[in-house]
Each structure stands twice: as C-alpha cells, then as structure tokens.
Amino acid sequence: MNISMKKFIVFLVSIILLFSCIFSSACAVKREEEVVINNTRCFLNEDKKSYTYGYYHSGEKEVVIPSKIKGLKVTAIGQYCFDRQSVEKVTIPDTIKYIEHGAFNQSKIKSIEIPESVVSLGYDAFLDCRDLQSVVIKGNITTIESG
C-alpha cells in the first residue's frame, strides 16, 4: 500500500468517526426532548416551552391527556396520535390549542369534548371514526384545515 492510499484511508476513517460523533450527539439531544407518559411518546415543541402529546399506544379505553409535562404545558395532540387505537374516550385539558391532522384517525372514539382553548383542527382529525356519536366544541375554532 502506498503512502497516498494510507492517507486516504486515514482521512476516510476520520470522516466516518466525525459523522458518527455528530449524529450520536444529535440523537442524544432528541432523546432528551422525548418523554413517554402512559405509553404515549410526547415531544418537546420547537419553542422549548411546551409539549405535543405524540403517539399513543396502549389498550386503555379512556385517556386523560395531562395539562403539563415536566412543568411545561401540553399544547397539541400530535399527528395520528390515536391512529387505529381502541380508545373510546379522551379528556382534553384546556392547555391544548391544536389538534393536528389525523389525530383520531380510525380510532374507536365515541364522544369528545373540545375545550375553548383549541383554535386549530387539523384535516382528517376524525377520519373514519365509525363509532363517533358526539362532538362538543366549546369554543371558537378559528382554523379547520383541509387536506
């Protein structure tokens, strides 16, 4: 093996190590921003001042979304949060401002009360919720997205 080939291999290994360090530290930061509460992955929002109630995966029929996580408000129900889940009743706290698209997609939800605090309802939030019998909207939702 000549000198230039050895230099190239050293350079290549250095680049690989550098990228592995960068990506492993990025993953570590992401893990700190994710919290699991009652089988639900919750995510710290970009503002670093609130959380999104993320992906729910449990067999519970009733769910109470917490108003706070680690002292910060929970302000959104994430995309496809209850997608295809057997949940029938969800209690939404008055800290929630956004119900993102597909949040209850194909779930077994039967009835829901949306508090005054909710200002935005994502498209297909209740798509194919065949058991849904009652939706009570207490406030004035200012945005209903279309898909």
Side-chain angles (χ1 to χ4, degrees):
M1 205 184 307
N2 62 25
I3 300 251
S4 61
M5 185 62 143
K6 287 181 182 179
K7 285 182 180 180
F8 176 76
I9 292 173
V10 168
F11 173 75
L12 189 60
V13 170
S14 299
I15 295 296
I16 292 170
L17 288 173
L18 176 66
F19 278 110
S20 67
C21 290
I22 290 170
F23 289 119
S24 68
S25 66
C27 290
V29 170
K30 187 171 185 175
R31 275 185 245 126
E32 290 174 13
E33 295 177 351
E34 184 179 303
V35 177
V36 177
I37 297 189
N38 300 327
N39 294 318
T40 304
R41 289 173 40 204
C42 302
F43 305 97
L44 187 63
N45 293 327
E46 287 182 21
D47 65 4
K48 307 283 189 215
K49 297 178 182 178
S50 61
Y51 277 89
T52 292
Y53 198 75
Y55 298 104
Y56 173 82
H57 294 286
S58 178
E60 299 295 321
K61 300 287 185 199
E62 292 189 20
V63 174
V64 177
I65 297 174
S67 60
K68 289 187 175 183
I69 296 173
K70 293 186 171 186
L72 301 175
K73 289 182 181 181
V74 177
T75 59
I77 298 173
Q79 298 174 11
Y80 301 103
C81 180
F82 295 100
D83 183 45
R84 302 170 197 258
Q85 296 299 309
S86 60
V87 63
E88 295 176 0
K89 182 180 179 189
V90 175
T91 302
I92 301 173
D94 63 3
T95 57
I96 299 291
K97 294 180 181 179
Y98 313 102
I99 298 176
E100 296 180 0
H101 73 265
F104 295 92
N105 181 52
Q106 297 183 31
S107 70
K108 299 292 183 188
I109 192 93
K110 291 183 177 182
S111 66
I112 194 157
E113 190 172 289
I114 300 174
E116 282 184 46
S117 58
V118 175
V119 295
S120 178
L121 186 61
Y123 66 90
D124 293 342
F126 296 97
L127 180 68
D128 282 338
C129 292
R130 297 179 182 184
D131 297 329
L132 186 60
Q133 299 168 7
S134 171
V135 176
V136 175
I137 300 172
K138 289 193 158 189
N140 295 311
I141 294 176
T142 57
T143 304
I144 298 178
E145 297 175 356
S146 61

